[in-house]
Amino acid sequence: VGVGGRAAAPPPPRACPPPVVAAGGRVVARGGRGAVADASRLYRAGDAQGALEAYRALLAQRPGVPELHVNTGNALFALGRYDEAIRQYETGLREGDAHTRAVAAYQRGDALYRMGKLEEAREAFKDALRIDPGDRDAKFNIEAIDRVLGVTQQESHHGEHAHPGASRPPPPGLQSGQARPLTRGSPP
């Protein structure tokens, strides 16, 4: 129960897909930018499986391109394969520039949220906000999760379910999938 006895229900999520991250002007494989554009085109057309295959082929040739890891994570995310997506986002977090890390942290938070791992999702959104203090969606998501966790904590005080670390299905209301194209050297 939220302020004034009302349930703390965050607003509905946005109807945008997860961001597509371009490999920022780098030549990433034979075929160069065209291969990345083709994979991104598949993703935007809703062919997440085709995009995943294309991004994996690019990664096989250029595993050191963090933007490709984020793209691969986005395709996995669209397929509902959140654990695998998180591993790709973590590579983007370790190896990317600030903008790539901010996108990877945000998407990692979204995947964790969808898995019902609210505390971990909150921390991932905080990471995104530390990297990009102007990220309003990350700030909103932290506040939305805080409201949901406040409800969860009140439920546990009343003897209902919940033990520390228990995974719950994600509640509705996260700002999800904000399109964030990446181009190395360009402002977000």
Side-chain angles (χ1 to χ4, degrees):
V1 177
V3 178
R6 287 183 262 166
R14 292 183 184 171
C16 299
V20 175
V21 181
R26 291 184 180 185
V27 174
V28 295
R30 195 174 57 233
R33 288 185 219 149
V36 173
D38 290 345
S40 296
R41 217 176 347 271
L42 289 169
Y43 178 82
R44 283 191 305 272
D47 184 1
Q49 186 61 47
L52 176 60
E53 292 166 12
Y55 286 130
R56 282 189 169 159
L58 289 164
L59 274 174
Q61 293 183 4
R62 294 296 303 263
V65 179
E67 295 88 351
L68 287 176
H69 286 279
V70 175
N71 284 355
T72 302
N74 290 340
L76 289 162
F77 180 100
L79 293 168
R81 294 164 57 182
Y82 303 125
D83 282 329
E84 294 173 79
I86 288 168
R87 287 192 292 276
Q88 294 297 319
Y89 296 141
E90 288 171 349
T91 300
L93 273 164
R94 280 191 311 273
E95 300 174 9
D97 63 12
H99 189 69
T100 302
R101 289 192 331 269
V103 171
Y106 183 95
Q107 284 304 111
R108 182 176 177 272
D110 200 353
L112 288 164
Y113 178 87
R114 293 187 187 273
M115 294 170 65
K117 297 179 178 184
L118 302 183
E119 290 88 359
E120 291 177 62
R122 184 180 187 282
E123 288 306 310
F125 288 123
K126 284 174 61 178
D127 290 342
L129 197 56
R130 276 191 283 274
I131 297 165
D132 178 6
D135 188 337
R136 291 186 303 247
D137 290 335
K139 184 176 185 324
F140 175 89
N141 290 346
I142 293 165
E143 292 167 357
I145 290 171
D146 284 347
R147 287 190 300 272
V148 171
L149 289 174
V151 170
T152 303
Q153 289 169 357
Q154 288 181 6
E155 288 173 355
S156 67
H157 284 110
H158 289 91
E160 297 179 28
H161 68 87
H163 57 58
S167 187
R168 298 174 46 128
L174 198 69
Q175 295 289 16
S176 176
Q178 178 66 28
R180 298 172 181 203
L182 261 186
T183 304
R184 187 168 299 282
S186 296

